[in-house]
Amino acid sequence: MASVSASLESATRGAKSSAALEFLKSAPKKLLINGKWVPSKSGKTFETLNPANEQVLALVAEGDKADVDEAVKYARKAFEDFKWANLSPHARARFLLKIADLIEQHADELAELETLDNGKPLFESANIDIPGAAETFRYYAGFVTKIYGETNPSDPSMFNYTLREPVGVCGQIIPWNFPLLMASWKIAPALACGNVVILKPAEQTPLTAIRLGELICEAGLPEGVVQIITGFGPGAGSSIAEHPDIDKVAFTGSTEVGKIILKASAGNLKRVSLELGGKSPNIIFPDADMPSAVFGSALGIFLNQGQVCCAGSRVFVQESVYDQFTDSLSQMASTLTLGNPLDPNTRMGPLVSKEQHDRVKGYLKAGKAEGAKAKIGGEPGKQEAGYFIQPTVFTGVNNQMKIAREEIFGPVASAIPFKDETDVVLQGNDTDYGLAAAVWTKDINRALTVARKLKAGTVWINTYGILDPMSPFGGYKQSGFGRELGKYAIDLYTQIKSVWCKIG
Ligand code: NAP
Ligand code: MG
């Protein structure tokens, strides 16, 4: 059981950014409503921990329904005043560029805060999360001036054109695995389209969203355009999903909660977009470039300790190379240094929370009980404190086992043998999910054929996990609906008005 840490110093051991420490000292952290930082109406707070040592980093305001109501009131006002939507697109774009610049200027601080709060290696926060967040704001800054309507081929006695207008007040609920990056995937396109937002970060990782809120204030956005409500799912999250005056809800997280959000949205028929879980097939044919396939597969399942919605958690390996490939993957896993994620040499940190640690330990047990063999790992880390799990490669897995069907969200690869192309397409698609997939082969015809047959929102060929703000991301089947990123996010955050004008 965690208690308030004796000193922030020990909770942040290894941190170098004085700005990050200053930020943590000024806790308890508040809610951002109408451009001001305010305590929750109930006065309640909750602890956010460093999962590498289980010590408290900060107390954070616990927003609930009353705070969401307040946030919606001001967000609605900001939207109806057209403070944001009616700014010239050039001016709105400059605000987004300014936010991107501020993220970059504070990159070291944000990377350390992310690593402290989430446990991911600094190597990843500094090279993936923070630059990715800045790039997302910059990408959507470019879109503000390019959101076009159309002139429609109407009868000559009429002039008919379409306008793409913002949806309104957008509730955005995000998970803990890529806290700042997920915040930017949500906020940047919404703002680009002229919406106002209420963001609820995950209770495990609120810190970088709060810091982003401060940077957004520093960028000078009109008040009421962005609210940040920290708190719990039942409470802050459910109040957003149910609120009668929120026009759209965008959610990333578990399929289970996605279904709750969808039901809750029915009250006022909110627009909904859902980016949910996955159990992505990563397919290795014998003619693949093996060193690349091993490296890419390791990245696909061990990045961020496997807490990635598009993780390549089902590794399908053709029978003739199954032993050789799983040996090499295990060998690569053995080289990943587990430890304090703030150490730049660490390649695997702890999982985000005790709950997640318990869940993943449960899956390790279930895998063994069903007869799978841990070729490497299969156990928690040996560290004195922190939620560590050893990188694990399970062999002897079949696609019906629990570890092949359920999203583990940990550093656990389930390696499943297959016979041929037909067999692997059938097995790969035999899942409730459809977020991502990968295929490794030097045969371009086979690669393109299999890519076409896989039921997934993203397919990688001879690579894994590449994401870019310009390319859409989202799921087939129970991995959700709607596409974030690219021009597709503009569809999520605009609605179309058809205007008719009689001529003559
Ligand atoms: P989760 O419960 O789905 O959390 C995602 C977000 O939804 C958080 O902000 C959470 O708030 C909020 N939330 C929870 N219950 C809610 C409700 N009834 N109404 C509105 N919002 C609600 O995910 P989790 O419990 O953190 O993780 C459980 C599993 O979900 C993981 O093991 C993994 O399998 C999956 N997951 C998937 C993704 C993904 O990217 N697709 C991300 C995270 C987790 P609080 O955190 O404050 O409770
Ligand atoms: Mg934390």
Side-chain angles (χ1 to χ4, degrees):
M1 175 69 191
S3 61
V4 174
S5 52
S7 77
L8 190 56
E9 225 175 284
S10 95
T12 56
R13 203 176 48 233
K16 293 198 176 59
S17 161
S18 51
L21 295 175
E22 280 308 308
F23 173 79
L24 291 170
K25 273 186 206 155
S26 66
K29 295 295 170 196
K30 297 180 178 165
L31 312 172
L32 177 60
I33 299 179
N34 198 33
K36 293 174 192 63
W37 292 94
V38 295
S40 62
K41 283 182 183 293
S42 69
K44 286 190 194 163
T45 56
F46 63 98
E47 297 171 339
T48 188
L49 307 184
N50 179 348
N53 56 29
E54 305 173 42
Q55 295 186 42
V56 177
L57 291 167
L59 291 178
V60 177
E62 184 192 327
D64 61 19
K65 183 173 182 308
D67 305 290
V68 169
D69 285 347
E70 187 84 349
V72 173
K73 191 174 85 188
Y74 285 108
R76 174 60 58 197
K77 186 168 180 312
F79 185 69
E80 301 303 338
D81 286 352
F82 288 113
K83 275 186 193 169
W84 181 245
N86 262 14
L87 275 184
S88 100
H90 295 293
R92 227 164 53 233
R94 276 197 297 272
F95 277 116
L96 293 191
L97 289 171
K98 177 81 181 156
I99 298 170
D101 289 347
L102 285 168
I103 292 173
E104 274 173 358
Q105 283 161 26
H106 295 271
D108 293 347
E109 173 192 354
L110 287 164
E112 283 210 350
L113 281 177
E114 201 73 303
T115 287
L116 284 166
D117 211 11
N118 166 281
K120 64 175 66 205
L122 188 65
F123 179 75
E124 292 178 17
S125 316
N127 292 304
I128 299 173
D129 297 69
I130 312 306
E135 280 314 323
T136 305
F137 275 99
R138 196 160 283 134
Y139 176 80
Y140 283 105
F143 248 110
V144 182
T145 49
K146 295 159 200 79
I147 299 173
Y148 293 100
E150 285 172 331
T151 306
N152 301 311
S154 55
D155 184 277
S157 66
M158 293 285 172
F159 172 45
N160 175 234
Y161 63 96
T162 47
L163 293 171
R164 259 185 192 268
E165 298 188 334
V167 176
V169 178
C170 299
Q172 307 184 313
I173 301 173
I174 56 169
W176 40 258
N177 52 348
F178 292 89
L180 187 72
L181 193 61
M182 288 300 105
S184 68
W185 282 24
K186 294 281 182 284
I187 296 178
L191 295 187
C193 297
N195 298 282
V196 300
V197 306
I198 299 166
L199 178 86
K200 193 204 89 65
E203 68 188 68
Q204 299 85 350
T205 55
L207 295 177
T208 48
I210 296 170
R211 189 68 186 104
L212 176 65
E214 293 180 353
L215 296 177
I216 286 173
C217 293
E218 193 177 328
L221 269 77
E223 47 196 35
V225 173
V226 174
Q227 327 332 287
I228 311 276
I229 304 291
T230 45
F232 300 138
S238 54
S239 305
I240 288 174
E242 287 160 10
H243 205 288
D245 203 25
I246 290 183
D247 302 296
K248 175 192 164 62
V249 65
F251 171 78
T252 299
S254 61
T255 295
E256 187 191 345
V257 175
K259 290 177 183 176
I260 297 175
I261 304 267
L262 189 58
K263 281 191 192 134
S265 71
N268 68 335
L269 288 182
K270 283 180 191 66
R271 279 137 192 80
V272 181
S273 48
L274 300 172
E275 198 266 275
L276 309 174
K279 195 71 195 173
S280 301
N282 177 28
I283 299 170
I284 320 294
F285 283 102
D287 64 347
D289 175 72
M290 282 300 161
S292 310
V294 170
F295 181 81
S297 303
L299 196 77
I301 188 61
F302 299 131
L303 185 93
N304 201 19
Q305 294 73 243
Q307 302 165 124
V308 181
C309 48
C310 56
S313 49
R314 288 185 300 150
V315 185
F316 286 98
V317 190
Q318 215 264 350
E319 284 167 348
S320 62
V321 291
Y322 185 82
D323 290 338
Q324 175 206 334
F325 183 86
T326 51
D327 280 348
S328 306
L329 185 60
S330 304
Q331 162 61 26
M332 177 142 292
S334 73
T335 66
L336 299 172
T337 329
L338 249 76
N340 184 347
L342 285 168
D343 182 334
N345 296 316
T346 293
R347 289 295 173 271
M348 275 190 50
L351 303 192
V352 73
S353 64
K354 179 168 186 318
E355 291 72 30
Q356 198 58 22
H357 198 234
D358 289 345
R359 270 175 62 97
V360 174
K361 282 191 292 183
Y363 281 111
L364 295 177
K365 227 169 132 182
K368 291 173 196 167
E370 282 184 297
K373 294 257 168 319
K375 208 161 207 179
I376 186 157
E379 300 292 335
K382 295 190 173 63
Q383 286 69 13
E384 272 170 32
Y387 309 120
F388 292 88
I389 295 278
Q390 296 176 10
T392 298
V393 177
F394 270 129
T395 53
V397 182
N398 71 57
N399 199 41
Q400 301 311 316
M401 288 181 182
K402 192 177 165 83
I403 55 168
R405 303 213 73 81
E406 297 181 16
E407 184 173 48
I408 298 177
F409 234 57
V412 183
S414 298
I416 307 171
F418 70 88
K419 285 191 176 41
D420 55 21
E421 193 178 303
T422 309
D423 177 34
V424 80
V425 167
L426 272 173
Q427 291 202 64
N429 286 335
D430 178 11
T431 167
D432 291 338
Y433 295 110
L435 192 57
V439 51
W440 299 82
T441 173
K442 283 190 191 137
D443 179 345
I444 187 68
N445 295 318
R446 171 183 272 168
L448 296 178
T449 306
V450 172
R452 195 182 275 265
K453 288 181 178 167
L454 290 168
K455 295 193 171 78
T458 296
V459 180
W460 291 289
I461 298 175
N462 295 332
T463 185
Y464 205 97
I466 304 291
L467 295 172
D468 187 297
M470 59 77 194
S471 183
F473 188 72
Y476 279 32
K477 300 196 271 183
Q478 291 192 38
S479 291
F481 49 75
R483 290 292 177 273
E484 298 194 288
L485 301 185
K487 63 180 181 179
Y488 302 89
I490 304 303
D491 294 334
L492 298 185
Y493 289 103
T494 55
Q495 51 193 343
I496 291 172
K497 179 182 281 173
S498 175
V499 182
W500 289 91
C501 177
K502 189 171 184 320
I503 300 175

